[in-house]
Amino acid sequence: NKNIKFLLLGDILSVIIISISGFLFHGEAKTLFSYRILAMILPTLIGWMLIAPWLELYKQDIWLTNK
């Protein structure tokens, strides 16, 4: 479904942006493409992708706005 792909992309971008901004805020980002950042983002994304469907966050009645 097109909407689910859009939601997944938003989730992935959110995790990446939050993780990178956390490294930058704490002064830990020597290079943005270090293995430390990758080691933080990948497990977080994998965990989120495993638990989000279980929490039914991608069901249409959850993200569909009532008009």
Side-chain angles (χ1 to χ4, degrees):
N1 190 344
K2 181 181 172 185
N3 291 326
I4 291 177
K5 289 179 185 177
F6 183 71
L7 291 173
L8 286 171
L9 179 63
D11 287 349
I12 291 168
L13 288 176
S14 296
V15 169
I16 291 171
I17 289 170
I18 290 169
S19 297
I20 290 175
S21 64
F23 274 92
L24 291 172
F25 181 76
H26 291 286
E28 295 292 326
K30 305 289 187 249
T31 63
L32 284 181
F33 299 104
S34 70
Y35 291 112
R36 286 186 64 210
I37 294 174
L38 191 60
M40 175 69 193
I41 292 173
L42 284 180
T44 305
L45 280 176
I46 291 169
W48 180 253
M49 294 302 152
L50 289 174
I51 199 168
W54 181 69
L55 294 173
E56 300 179 344
L57 297 178
Y58 299 127
K59 288 181 68 173
Q60 186 175 8
D61 56 340
I62 298 292
W63 51 265
L64 186 64
T65 57
N66 296 330
K67 297 189 183 208

